[in-house]
Amino acid sequence: MSVLVKFIGGTPEEDGRYEDGEGREYRYAPQENGALAIYEKETGESIPPEEQPIAIYGPAAWFSVSGDKLTRSDRRAGRVSGY
């Protein structure tokens, strides 16, 4: 599924659309401060913990988001050296 961000005071043409396709998927993650982060990942891959979001919207910019939320299964497990 894609991610759709609706902005405060925005029109449907101004919505933030992140469409899945071309081997990419998108996830959203609300932050503790009310900001919204958007992440991109390759289809079937995971998002490394150190990966930075491709977009961040401040808490006064957006009011609604739908689509796939970033989950624990989207994050790559850490590697253990020596094994």
Side-chain angles (χ1 to χ4, degrees):
M1 179 180 230
S2 303
V3 172
L4 174 63
V5 181
K6 296 205 182 250
F7 297 112
I8 294 173
T11 64
E13 296 82 31
E14 296 173 328
D15 288 340
R17 294 182 187 273
Y18 295 88
E19 300 287 338
D20 293 350
E22 297 182 15
R24 293 182 183 91
E25 297 176 5
Y26 296 92
R27 302 289 188 264
Y28 71 88
Q31 306 296 297
E32 290 180 14
N33 65 359
L36 180 70
I38 306 294
Y39 292 88
E40 178 182 68
K41 71 175 197 163
E42 297 295 321
T43 302
E45 296 292 323
S46 57
I47 301 170
E50 68 278 357
E51 185 74 23
Q52 297 296 313
I54 62 168
I56 298 177
Y57 299 106
W62 67 283
F63 72 91
S64 175
V65 62
S66 60
D68 289 330
K69 187 174 183 178
L70 183 69
T71 64
R72 195 174 289 160
S73 66
D74 290 317
R75 292 292 194 175
R76 182 181 315 158
R79 295 184 182 185
V80 177
S81 62
Y83 292 96

